[in-house]
Structures are given as structure tokens and as C-alpha cells.
Amino acid sequence: MTAPDTVDLDDPATWPTDLFDLIAELAPAVPGGLDTGSDLHNEAGELAGYDDQVRGMLAGRLLRTYHATRLLDHEIEDVRAFGLHALTESALTDRVDRAIHAGSIPAHYLNALRESTALVHESPHAVHYRFGEVSVVSSRQPLSQTWPHRLLSNWGGEVRQFGPVWTDTKFEGIRRIGRPSLIVAGIDVSTPAAVVAGRELVFDFIGIHLGLAGNGVTIHYAADIPGEQIVDICHPGHPEYDRHPHFPAS
């Protein structure tokens, strides 16, 4: 898709006209004195009824989203070419095998890496919710929190941040392989694959319109995001990355 088809939640100038008009129509009904998107959700919960309409207005367009991770050079090339894939158990194994084959990780660390995943350290019920999706956030605002630094500083993804490789200082060199990578991806939020956590998207559009803080939600996208929907991959030195001064510099 071309740039005009990409909607940036943080930039109302990119919103479709019908969506902008709807949000402008809803905003005056919001109680005064609210500070954050969470306040809006709590005090004007009836606006959730407009969420399907908002998503429908975004059909045929891509919502700009963000995924923080750390990638080896061949992984960066793969994301550019093939996009982000919904996580599978086999992908965890394949990722380590390819890193060893590329010479980025010594082969004798294989068993430790396989033991340091949510599959080993979490209950089957908890693990179930970590697979079959790509997690992204819908706005730059959540990127100002502390969690992106952890994901940008440690290779392997959140599902691998368990056990000895995550806690033992002797594995620090393994955790630091690759480059901090802020992936900008466009997704279709009009489909059932886009499951929003916490509150409906309509609240964040209204929150941005009203100038509230704390907008942006996590979207658990239960499908692959193809390469043609990868808008950019940003590393230290890229303006989109460097606008977040707390991100790791290397």
C-alpha cells in the first residue's frame, strides 16, 4: 500500500475524512477534566459502541503500529522481505538454529537457549496466549514507557526472556547480539485478527483529538504481517528511533 493509505493514530491529518468527522462529532460529549485515555475509557464507556464503526472506516487502509525487538542482520533482511510472522513454537527453535549457523551464537549454548523460554518456565495456559500472534502498539505514546528498552536490549523476543540465559551474567553477550530494531508495520484493524487489549480503538482516536495523554493500545494481531506492510525498520541514528531518548543506543 502507498503512504496515503497508511493511517497514523498520532497524526489526525492522516485519518480518513469520515473517521475524523465522527471523532469530532463524538468529542464534545466527553466529560471535562480527563487527563488520559484510560480516564476516557472509564468515564465515557458508552463510546465503545462506536468501535466497530471506527474499524469499518479503516477498512482498506493500514494502521501504523510499532514492534520493539532486537534483530541480527539476516533477521532484518527477512523482516523487510517477508514481514513479521505470528509466533510458533518451531520458530523459536529455528531462530536459534539460524543464529548458530550464522556464527552469532556458539553452538554449545544451544541447550541453555532452549531451556530459557516461556515454554519451559510458564504454565501451558499462560504459554498459549504467547503464540499465534504478533504484538504491536498502535501509537508512539506507549513507547515512552520502560518496557521497550528491555525488548530492544535483549535478543530473542519476550518469549525467550526466561531462565538462565535471561538471568545469568555469563550469557550477557548472547543477549546483546543483533541491533535494536523498532519495526513500523501497517495492519488492517478492520479484521477479527486485530484483537485490542484493554480498551477499544475509538477511545484512542478521541484521546488524540482531545490532546489527552496515555493513548495507544497493544494489538495482538493473530496473523502474519507481510513484507509489503513493513513501513520501516528503525535503528539508532534513525529519526523515528532517536525521538525516544531512553531507547538503547546500541
Side-chain angles (χ1 to χ4, degrees):
M1 288 197 175
T2 59
D5 295 318
T6 303
V7 176
D8 185 347
L9 173 62
D10 299 308
D11 182 4
T14 69
W15 300 359
T17 301
D18 56 351
L19 175 57
F20 185 93
D21 291 345
L22 173 65
I23 298 304
E25 179 183 335
L26 297 176
V30 173
L34 304 183
D35 296 319
T36 69
S38 294
D39 294 340
L40 177 59
H41 176 253
N42 293 334
E43 299 299 326
E46 69 280 0
L47 295 175
Y50 290 92
D51 197 60
D52 286 344
Q53 187 174 352
V54 166
R55 287 175 179 250
M57 290 175 172
L58 292 170
R61 298 176 171 87
L62 298 177
L63 181 69
R64 185 182 177 99
T65 65
Y66 305 88
H67 179 82
T69 187
R70 193 174 182 96
L71 300 173
L72 294 166
D73 287 345
H74 69 263
E75 294 173 328
I76 295 170
E77 294 173 5
D78 286 348
V79 172
R80 290 195 186 279
F82 308 114
L84 290 167
H85 297 290
L87 185 62
T88 63
E89 293 183 22
S90 62
L92 285 178
T93 302
D94 292 345
R95 190 173 187 187
V96 171
D97 290 346
R98 289 192 67 195
I100 291 174
H101 181 73
S104 300
I105 298 173
H108 64 266
Y109 285 128
L110 176 61
N111 288 336
L113 284 163
R114 288 182 173 170
E115 288 295 313
S116 292
T117 72
L119 288 168
V120 176
H121 294 273
E122 287 193 331
S123 70
H125 176 75
V127 166
H128 171 74
Y129 292 99
R130 293 185 177 273
F131 291 89
E133 64 182 37
V134 181
S135 292
V136 295
V137 292
S138 61
S139 165
R140 296 180 185 88
Q141 292 189 21
L143 298 176
S144 66
Q145 300 170 10
T146 58
W147 60 265
H149 190 280
R150 172 173 55 87
L151 297 176
L152 293 164
S153 297
N154 298 279
W155 178 81
E158 188 172 21
V159 176
R160 193 173 296 285
Q161 296 180 2
F162 296 83
V165 175
W166 176 242
T167 58
D168 195 322
T169 56
K170 74 177 181 180
F171 294 108
E172 185 171 1
I174 301 299
R175 297 196 295 269
R176 297 296 186 270
I177 63 173
R179 300 171 65 190
S181 302
L182 180 65
I183 302 171
V184 185
I187 65 170
D188 181 358
V189 295
S190 71
T191 73
V195 179
V196 178
R199 61 175 179 262
E200 292 79 4
L201 281 172
V202 61
F203 292 106
D204 290 299
F205 281 98
I206 296 174
I208 292 291
H209 180 84
L210 294 174
L212 304 183
N215 301 292
V217 290
T218 297
I219 300 175
H220 302 289
Y221 196 70
D224 295 340
I225 302 174
E228 58 266 26
Q229 292 176 207
I230 301 301
V231 178
D232 208 349
I233 304 177
C234 311
H235 312 290
H238 188 293
E240 183 69 69
Y241 187 99
D242 292 346
R243 70 192 299 162
H244 305 283
H246 65 296
F247 282 4
S250 63

